[in-house]
Amino acid sequence: MRVMVVGASGAIGTRLVPQLTSREHEVIGTFRSPAKAERVRALGARPVALNLLDPGAVRRAVLDIRPEAIIHQATALAGQRFSRKLDRTFAETNRLRTEGTDALLAAAREAGTRRFIAQSFAPYRYARQGGMVKTEDDPLDAAPPAGAHETNAAMTHLDQAVTAAGGIALRYGGFYGGADDTVTRAVRKRRFPIIGDGEGVTSWIHLDDAAAATVAALEHPGAGIYNIVDDEPAPAREWLPVLADALAAKPPRHVPVWLVRLLMGEDAVMGATQSRGASNAKAKRELGWTLRYPSWRQGFAAAYSRPQPAEVAV
Ligand SMILES: NC(=O)c1ccc[n+]([C@@H]2O[C@H](COP(=O)([O-])OP(=O)(O)OC[C@H]3O[C@@H](n4cnc5c(N)ncnc54)[C@H](OP(=O)(O)O)[C@@H]3O)[C@@H](O)[C@H]2O)c1
């Protein structure tokens, strides 16, 4: 299939392009920063510069490429600092998920593109009531934290627009396995504490498994929403010490809820103490997806632990 990967130079795009080419797909990969063209080419894709927030440019690119499938993986999160107000951190990403998605869908319709897949997100989105692990049919949080209204609304827009057009929205878990990211940096510096009892649940996904699920979705007919997460949604008190250990960092500190509320606001408390995880049963069942790292327990160690001397190749 001729596949246009929008955001081919990003954390997931760089894992996805080689998996697509290894399955004989022809890949056109877009990037925004000029320095990324060679990186995209080296991965095996034809590089095309594209600003997804320019609808005219999107239309021209899609009509020129005439892809059989479009995979939207564009976000604008590199170099962002997570502030008290998530909507500030995600402002441009939210536009990529709303205006960017709409521009791509309109161009896809005009070009006769049959398949459309887009990046969505599972953690911190499901209603913070009832069971701690949610399926795609469970309701989303009707009253998200004050600073995350626009961010949640943008993801909901993407989910609805993509599935209404016959495409697939992939609600990925928290990505891990990249060389460096906001979470690993904070854990290394011991700035990612366990808040209160650390009972808020997160679903993780290794970037390679996220890419494999995306290839499976591309090759799966039909529309839908899928949680792309690992088998073990877990509270922070369980996964955070394991991540710190894999990173050879000191164990996480414990911080009382009242102090976090005072210093970082209610949003941080809600996320850390009430968030729900997600179930991957539907993606496994319908997409035939298998995970290389079914749990963060093996995945964190594989991604971050330095090889022991006996394991170093000679
Ligand atoms: N589910 C998750 O947990 C999740 C999801 C997304 C990101 N993240 C994390 O966020 C961090 C940054 O992500 P990232 O490395 O993928 O970088 P990013 O800055 O989010 O960029 C992602 C992709 O979108 C492209 N892009 C950005 N703005 C664009 C625009 N206006 N038009 C078209 N394309 C645009 C980027 O191009 P350029 O490379 O040329 O800028 C890149 O290809 C990573 O640590 C990643 O793991 C996590």
Side-chain angles (χ1 to χ4, degrees), residues 7 9-11 32-33 36 50-52 74-75 77-78 119 173-175 181:
S9 51
R32 196 186 55 159
S33 326
K36 300 284 179 71
L50 179 66
N51 179 5
L52 193 53
T75 50
L77 295 172
Q119 175 185 149
F175 288 158
D181 59 44

Side-chain angles (χ1 to χ4, degrees), residues 133-293:
V133 179
K134 305 293 191 183
T135 73
E136 296 83 348
D137 293 332
D138 284 318
L140 296 173
D141 195 349
H149 277 198
E150 292 162 22
T151 302
N152 280 32
M155 292 187 279
T156 301
H157 174 92
L158 180 147
D159 290 351
Q160 290 174 350
V162 168
T163 51
I168 290 180
L170 298 177
R171 289 183 181 162
Y172 296 114
F175 288 158
Y176 71 89
D180 187 31
D181 59 44
T182 315
V183 174
T184 55
R185 271 195 299 277
V187 172
R188 281 197 169 98
K189 291 181 188 160
R190 239 188 157 195
R191 288 194 188 148
F192 200 129
I194 293 175
I195 298 172
D197 292 337
E199 65 263 59
V201 171
T202 298
S203 278
W204 291 102
I205 190 72
H206 191 289
L207 282 162
D208 287 337
D209 282 331
T214 312
V215 176
L218 175 72
E219 296 171 355
H220 175 79
I225 292 176
Y226 293 92
N227 292 329
I228 303 300
V229 297
D230 77 8
D231 290 354
E232 199 178 348
R237 63 172 170 258
E238 285 184 25
W239 64 257
L240 199 39
V242 175
L243 178 57
D245 187 52
L247 292 166
K250 289 184 178 158
R253 298 177 202 277
H254 288 259
V255 180
V257 166
W258 66 264
L259 186 59
V260 175
R261 185 172 286 125
L262 191 72
L263 295 177
M264 297 173 66
E266 190 59 29
D267 289 8
V269 172
M270 284 161 92
T273 60
Q274 300 173 9
S275 64
R276 268 36 182 184
S279 159
N280 62 16
K282 181 182 175 191
K284 284 178 160 179
R285 189 175 64 241
E286 294 188 10
L287 303 180
W289 171 53
T290 54
L291 288 91
R292 183 163 173 204
Y293 304 103

